[in-house]
Amino acid sequence: MAKEALKIVDQRTDMEYEVPVHKGTIRARDLRQIKSGPDDFGLMTYDPSFMNTASCRSAITFADGERGILRYRGYPIEQLAEKCTFLEVAYLIVHGELPNEQQLKSWVNEITFHSMLHETTKKFLEGFRYDAHPMGMFISTVAALSTVHPEARDVHDPANRLRQIHRLIGKVPTIAAYTYRHSRGMPYVYPDSDLGYCENFMNMLWRLAEPKYHANPALSRALDILFILHADHEQNCSTNVMRAVGSSQTDPYLCVAAAAAALSGPLHGGANEEVVKLLDEIGSKDRVPAYIEQVKAGHGKLMGFGHRVYKHYDPRARIIRWAAEQVFATTGKNPKLEIALELERIALEDEYFIKRKLYPNVEFYSGIIYQALGFKPDMFTVLFAIPRTVGWLAQWKEMLEDPEQKTARPRQIYTGHAQRDVVPMEQRAGTTLAAER
Ligand code: ACO
């Protein structure tokens, strides 16, 4: 069998090196021995945006973008969406195995027990303007929990870590629902521990004067499935932030707030909000071809299309399309679905999209469902952040338990000036900053 190693010849020095290959990867540190001379720092890799760099070993999520496969802990996403509840999947992602009946019961109890917010946190929310973006409120309120639970700073105690994991998974729907109620000037609804995770979330969102809220089972199951699909997606932008911030041993509330901030960007979790805006802008099915031409001419992107990993149909988008049908059977069709289907049909036949392997991603249809469920677009990313909290926490726990991980700190290639001397102010006249030129 061929040796699992890479032979490198440095033509600068004619030196030869052998670098071990493990699972199709070389260690960047192994390149440091390659030097052009005794004063040389050693060879580095340059990989802006981590296009070809593994930052960790992880046993949580497997995504094969070429074949359109997504598995959590080895289980195909399709089976999990069909056969499990979101909290079962959350247990799987955090602990590595599906729970038995007893384990699930105590997991659900722990999470339900932690779904209340401290009264001061409610008051904190009151400080936001009536029109504050829910994602801004969500991020800030999660960060504020760090002050309510200061013991979370002890990230090395596994029992303490698990308590914070229960708390965060329990509290994020409550925070999300309160941001929604705040923006509508409605009183907050306390969690109801008789209800399931999604039913309770819907209760906190939409309960009015009725003594007990009863969610439509088809809609709460659809939301549960959406949560399963969004629970983790290996080393995406926000997960990378979670790990990077966590690597300096920051407490998990601040880490989740930072990860949620990364998620809020329009190229990541904010894309579903953009998709709905785009469908509104297109307005009708017959205007789809003109819109596609506009994108091809370089005027904007087709939001909800394309993915760094999936160069094939995103497996989550397929399940979401199915979930959309279930929701629409109850709520009536969202007229935007027709435009979205037409966009997908035309884009998938178009050379521009085929050549670049651009397929609908998880966000293409999720916004349409959220809207049918009664959410305004500004809530969509918050709805993504609730389930993704599970993935962030599992990745954070894995990072802290990994003896190879240290504070995340990339290198750079310095492109600035060499050393120069400070010129007194009176001699600086006429200098213009690059930004002013
Ligand atoms: N519409 C039109 N063209 C696109 C799109 C799109 N949505 N996405 C990529 N392209 C084009 C690029 O312009 C580029 O074309 P070029 O080679 O002619 O320059 C080519 O496809 C490659 O694109 P990159 O930006 O290099 O691909 P990358 O892997 O870096 O980007 C990303 C992935 C950010 C998701 C991108 O496809 C995008 O911006 N999509 C729209 C936003 C979106 O839907 N984000 C949600 C992703 S899912 C999630 O985060 C949960």
Side-chain angles (χ1 to χ4, degrees):
M1 204 177 101
K3 200 168 168 189
E4 288 285 297
L6 186 74
K7 196 170 264 183
I8 302 173
V9 179
D10 186 346
Q11 293 187 331
R12 298 171 302 175
T13 57
D14 282 333
M15 294 271 288
E16 206 172 276
Y17 302 86
E18 202 173 90
V19 173
V21 175
H22 182 64
K23 290 192 177 251
T25 312
I26 60 162
R27 280 181 181 265
R29 277 294 291 266
D30 286 343
L31 301 177
R32 285 273 285 278
Q33 57 179 313
I34 305 176
K35 298 183 181 207
S36 59
D39 296 334
D40 186 5
F41 176 79
L43 205 62
M44 291 195 304
T45 54
Y46 175 56
D47 189 10
S49 330
F50 307 118
M51 297 291 284
N52 196 37
T53 294
S55 63
C56 62
R57 296 163 185 270
S58 180
I60 301 171
T61 292
F62 174 77
D64 181 333
E66 291 299 328
R67 292 188 290 156
I69 293 174
L70 175 61
R71 298 183 197 130
Y72 298 154
R73 304 281 188 185
Y75 295 104
I77 191 71
E78 294 81 2
Q79 287 186 31
L80 293 170
E82 188 190 335
K83 298 182 175 151
C84 298
T85 62
F86 170 67
L87 282 189
E88 248 178 294
V89 173
Y91 183 99
L92 169 73
I93 290 176
V94 171
H95 290 295
E97 295 297 337
L98 280 168
N100 63 27
E101 222 175 318
Q102 192 46 45
Q103 288 164 329
L104 181 63
K105 204 168 157 209
S106 81
W107 172 249
V108 171
N109 280 345
E110 288 291 353
I111 287 168
T112 310
F113 180 73
H114 287 294
S115 54
M116 286 266 188
L117 294 180
H118 195 279
E119 286 297 296
T120 54
T121 309
K122 259 175 54 182
K123 292 197 184 113
F124 176 84
L125 270 159
E126 286 304 313
F128 288 104
R129 281 177 58 123
Y130 67 96
D131 60 351
H133 195 288
M135 198 57 184
M137 289 194 265
F138 180 85
I139 293 164
S140 317
T141 310
V142 171
L145 288 186
S146 157
T147 64
V148 183
H149 307 291
E151 75 280 10
R153 267 180 249 159
D154 182 7
V155 297
H156 295 298
D157 172 10
N160 186 32
R161 270 203 309 258
L162 189 58
R163 196 169 325 116
Q164 312 314 323
I165 289 175
H166 293 147
R167 276 199 181 125
L168 268 156
I169 299 175
K171 290 184 199 311
V172 283
T174 315
I175 297 173
Y178 283 15
T179 67
Y180 176 86
R181 303 279 297 199
H182 176 79
S183 59
R184 274 147 195 81
M186 294 164 84
Y188 304 130
V189 175
Y190 285 102
D192 181 341
S193 52
D194 288 346
L195 302 175
Y197 195 75
C198 283
E199 289 145 350
N200 173 47
F201 178 46
M202 292 163 86
N203 159 62
M204 293 187 289
L205 287 163
W206 291 315
R207 189 170 144 212
L208 295 170
E210 65 271 42
K212 185 99 184 160
Y213 182 82
H214 296 286
N216 179 310
L219 300 187
S220 67
R221 179 63 188 143
L223 196 57
D224 205 59
I225 290 174
L226 283 167
F227 280 4
I228 292 172
L229 301 181
H230 284 88
D232 192 51
H233 204 252
E234 50 119 310
Q235 305 313 311
N236 54 80
C237 176
S238 54
T239 302
N240 184 53
V241 168
M242 182 80 193
R243 280 179 172 262
V245 177
S247 76
S248 68
Q249 300 177 5
T250 304
D251 81 54
Y253 300 99
L254 296 175
C255 294
V256 168
L263 185 75
S264 69
L267 295 189
H268 190 11
N272 48 18
E273 193 174 335
E274 300 300 318
V275 172
V276 170
K277 279 189 207 153
L278 173 154
L279 295 174
D280 275 337
E281 194 186 316
I282 296 175
S284 62
K285 203 172 142 183
D286 56 303
R287 294 178 58 187
V288 168
Y291 191 84
I292 297 257
E293 286 312 312
Q294 201 180 306
V295 169
K296 284 162 59 180
H299 305 300
K301 280 185 171 175
L302 181 50
M303 301 308 281
F305 259 69
H307 198 276
R308 175 64 60 78
V309 172
Y310 293 117
K311 302 302 172 193
H312 201 279
Y313 210 101
D314 183 333
R316 299 168 297 177
R318 214 183 292 282
I319 303 170
I320 286 191
R321 255 183 81 162
W322 174 85
E325 297 298 332
Q326 314 307 307
V327 169
F328 296 148
T330 305
T331 62
K333 238 182 198 140
N334 183 336
K336 291 192 184 73
L337 181 67
E338 240 198 355
I339 308 173
L341 288 170
E342 183 68 355
L343 262 176
E344 178 183 331
R345 189 187 68 75
I346 297 185
L348 293 185
E349 286 172 359
D350 191 292
E351 187 56 26
Y352 174 95
F353 293 88
I354 295 171
K355 208 173 107 199
R356 290 169 179 77
K357 299 189 176 174
L358 299 171
Y359 290 87
N361 60 48
V362 66
E363 301 317 319
F364 192 62
Y365 289 104
S366 64
I368 307 175
I369 305 190
Y370 292 146
Q371 206 166 41
L373 287 173
F375 294 103
K376 293 231 165 73
D378 61 4
M379 270 301 283
F380 294 176
T381 317
V382 176
L383 295 169
F384 189 158
I386 296 171
R388 186 52 63 85
T389 297
V390 168
W392 291 329
L393 290 167
Q395 300 270 352
W396 168 75
K397 177 172 172 283
E398 186 177 61
M399 182 268 305
L400 289 171
E401 290 167 357
D402 181 349
E404 278 200 316
Q405 292 291 338
K406 288 176 183 285
T407 311
R409 207 290 184 197
R411 296 268 170 192
Q412 66 167 9
I413 302 171
Y414 178 67
T415 60
H417 292 279
Q419 182 175 318
R420 50 186 181 156
D421 295 323
V422 174
V423 178
M425 180 62 82
E426 57 281 10
Q427 291 173 27
R428 285 185 226 161
T431 46
T432 43
L433 293 174
E436 292 166 356
R437 268 179 226 138

